[in-house]
Amino acid sequence: MSVGLIALLDDVAALAKMASASLDDVAGQAAKAGSKAAGVVIDDAAVTPRYVVGFAAERELPIVGRIALGSLRNKLLFLLPGALALSAFAPWAITPLLMLGGAYLCYEGTEKVYEALFPHKAHGHEEEVAGAPDSAMEDRRVASAIKTDFILSAEIMAITLAAIPEGTFWTKAAVLAVVAIGITVAVYGAVAVIVKADDAGMALAANRNPSFLGGLGRGIGRAVVKGMPYLLKILAVVGTAAMIWVGGGILIHGLEEYGVKAPAHVIHDAAASVAGLVPAAHGFVEWLVTAAASGLVGLAVGALLIPVTSYVIAPAWNTVAGLRQKTA
């Protein structure tokens, strides 16, 4: 009996070691794969704060929470199984789907630029009607944010999947799930801190501590309160720009996958040449030139898609909607 018990304990210990090694492997792969998608993650964090601009302070965190839940649902319920299924049965479909999403980001970002430049001429599909209830406006903002997040999350999951070495189905699924949860928590945790920083600043500014540290805290608090509106406006601009340069970058990489390598090579060579002039900031300058070039491509594609959407897709959609109402 004792020998059998010892053997059983040995088996349990061996299984525990195997499970621990598997978990370590998943964690290590998730960390490496997640780092590959860092650029898109930063863009995702830059895009989101603009969706809470203009709402009452008490609605900021609930809106961020709704977007975060939508993002997690996107990743775990749709993108994770979709990525695994496509990689197993239709890997050829991943690139065109990503390019379609990239084109959507270009359109969304360019439309916002057009609305800012020509507010009376623009008639984007996200234009908010004056006098609409706050709840309806919030629902539209959240829906738009989740839609945009879906595209950025698809890019993150695709990069993650490509960075995972060959392994079992369950290992890939576990790595994708860990990356999805970790990135969502990191992005929307950072967004929550950003949008509520002004409240923290007000609390610091209101303290009555007569000490030097109390005075320093009040000064920092006042600076934060005064600076946050400008920071949110900057993030709104950066978020729109991020949509355009990420979308353009997706399209450029997609063309490269199909053998059209010239745009990617021209941008890479230009970025390397310019970065070579500034050795002290080589990496940043190379990224900046690449993002700017991708943004120009994104703007061009978005500018082409605005009239297509306005005069072709929207009328066709309205016609289909009208037929559905008549037959209902």
Side-chain angles (χ1 to χ4, degrees):
M1 181 69 70
S2 60
V3 173
L5 180 60
I6 292 172
L8 177 61
L9 291 174
D10 284 342
D11 290 342
V12 171
L15 289 171
K17 287 180 180 178
M18 289 175 61
S20 176
S22 297
L23 289 173
D24 288 343
D25 188 42
V26 167
Q29 289 188 36
K32 291 179 182 177
S35 66
K36 298 278 187 181
V40 185
V41 172
I42 293 170
D43 296 334
D44 199 1
V47 167
T48 305
R50 69 184 181 84
Y51 289 101
V52 301
V53 173
F55 286 99
E58 63 269 17
R59 293 305 307 159
E60 290 175 343
L61 285 184
I63 290 172
V64 173
R66 290 179 65 186
I67 298 172
L69 287 175
S71 175
L72 200 58
R73 184 173 62 248
N74 282 343
K75 294 182 180 76
L76 295 181
L77 297 185
F78 302 110
L79 293 173
L80 190 155
L84 292 173
L86 286 174
S87 66
F89 303 111
W92 55 267
I94 295 176
T95 297
L97 287 174
L98 283 176
M99 292 181 72
L100 187 63
Y104 172 79
L105 286 178
C106 294
Y107 165 71
E108 282 279 281
T110 306
E111 185 188 51
K112 294 186 188 320
V113 173
Y114 181 57
E115 288 176 0
L117 295 175
F118 308 102
H120 299 297
K121 295 181 180 179
H123 50 90
H125 66 274
E126 287 181 12
E127 187 178 28
E128 288 162 357
V129 180
D134 288 344
S135 60
M137 185 185 299
E138 179 178 319
D139 290 342
R140 284 199 300 275
R141 286 276 189 95
V142 170
S144 179
I146 292 173
K147 194 187 303 179
T148 300
D149 175 270
F150 186 91
I151 308 300
L152 294 171
S153 294
E155 180 73 357
I156 289 168
M157 299 297 272
I159 293 172
T160 301
L161 185 63
I164 300 173
E166 288 299 320
T168 65
F169 172 87
W170 294 112
T171 298
K172 289 182 177 181
V175 171
L176 286 171
V178 169
V179 170
I181 295 170
I183 283 177
T184 302
V185 171
V187 167
Y188 291 99
V191 170
V193 170
I194 290 170
V195 300
K196 298 308 290 182
D198 53 347
D199 290 348
M202 290 180 66
L204 282 173
N207 87 84
R208 293 292 180 264
N209 190 327
S211 68
F212 169 77
L213 290 178
L216 180 62
R218 285 190 293 275
I220 293 173
R222 286 191 291 269
V224 168
V225 171
K226 291 179 180 178
M228 279 309 298
Y230 299 103
L231 177 61
L232 287 175
K233 288 179 181 178
I234 291 171
L235 285 175
V237 173
V238 171
T240 298
M243 293 172 72
I244 297 170
W245 81 59
V246 170
I250 292 172
L251 294 176
I252 292 167
H253 291 310
L255 290 174
E256 197 173 13
E257 289 288 325
Y258 286 117
V260 184
K261 301 180 183 294
H265 285 170
V266 169
I267 291 172
H268 178 269
D269 292 344
S273 298
V274 176
L277 301 175
V278 193
H282 184 278
F284 173 75
V285 172
E286 187 170 5
W287 170 85
L288 186 63
V289 173
T290 302
S294 300
L296 290 175
V297 172
L299 274 174
V301 172
L304 290 173
L305 288 176
I306 286 175
V308 171
T309 302
S310 300
Y311 300 111
V312 178
I313 297 176
W317 177 259
N318 291 335
T319 300
V320 171
L323 290 174
R324 284 181 177 175
Q325 288 181 354
K326 289 180 180 179
T327 56

